[in-house]
């Protein structure tokens, strides 16, 4: 009998940890959930007030993070495309006071670690299905995935991207069908 396994025992152990995670809501303090349904989302970001910017093939929207209230909706796709930088890393609309970093399918990669130690990753223990894991790094003898939470992202579809807001108070996961946001309890 030949062993054709190319992964190391460490990698196999890590895969087993990842596959054993059960999807659930994030742990405290990530207690406030906001769902923003949208079609064809390509990129997202945060404006200067940490409202959510969702960019799709049919324009963009700005939504209040906690209430989910749509503050602005622009349906002009060409105009929206003109607001995206050539390198596809920033978005600037006349409504915004300054350019904002964006992440997504056709953009950058988001903020994955907060200053106080929260980390978010997209992993693929059941490839091609994505799993978003949230972990707190500042624990004694930290070990990757040992205390991680797999976040239930069933409502999102397609490729999944995620990132924290610049302040680290909000976490957004986006797929082609919209965004799921968790905010820290104040």
């Amino acid at each position: 009998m030949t062993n054709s396994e190319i992964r190391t025992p460490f990698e196999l152990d890590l895969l087993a940890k990842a596959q054993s995670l059960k999807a659930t809501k994030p742990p405290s303090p990530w207690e406030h959930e906001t769902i923003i349904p949208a079609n064809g989302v390509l990129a997202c970001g945060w404006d200067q007030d940490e409202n959510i910017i969702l960019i799709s093939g049919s324009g963009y929207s700005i939504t209040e993070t906690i209430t989910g209230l749509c503050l602005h909706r622009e349906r002009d796709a060409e105009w929206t495309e003109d607001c995206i930088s050539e390198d596809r890393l920033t978005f600037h609309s006349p409504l915004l006071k300054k350019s904002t970093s964006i992440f997504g399918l056709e953009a950058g990669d988001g903020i994955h670690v907060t200053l106080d130690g929260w980390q978010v990753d997209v992993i693929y223990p059941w490839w091609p299905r994505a799993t978003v894991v949230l972990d707190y790094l500042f624990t004694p003898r930290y070990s990757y995935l040992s205390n991680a939470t797999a976040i239930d992202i069933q409502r999102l579809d397609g490729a999944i991207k995620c990132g924290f807001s610049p302040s680290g108070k909000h976490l957004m996961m986006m797929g082609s069908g919209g965004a799921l946001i968790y905010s820290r309890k104040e």
Side-chain angles (χ1 to χ4, degrees), residues 38-43 54-61 73 77 80-81 84:
N39 290 322
V41 176
L42 302 172
L54 289 183
I55 302 166
S56 72
S58 61
Y60 79 96
S61 64
R73 175 72 168 105
T80 299
E81 183 66 28
I84 300 173

Side-chain angles (χ1 to χ4, degrees), residues 11 19 93 119 139:
E11 292 168 334
Q19 289 178 338
S93 156
Q119 175 178 301
T139 58

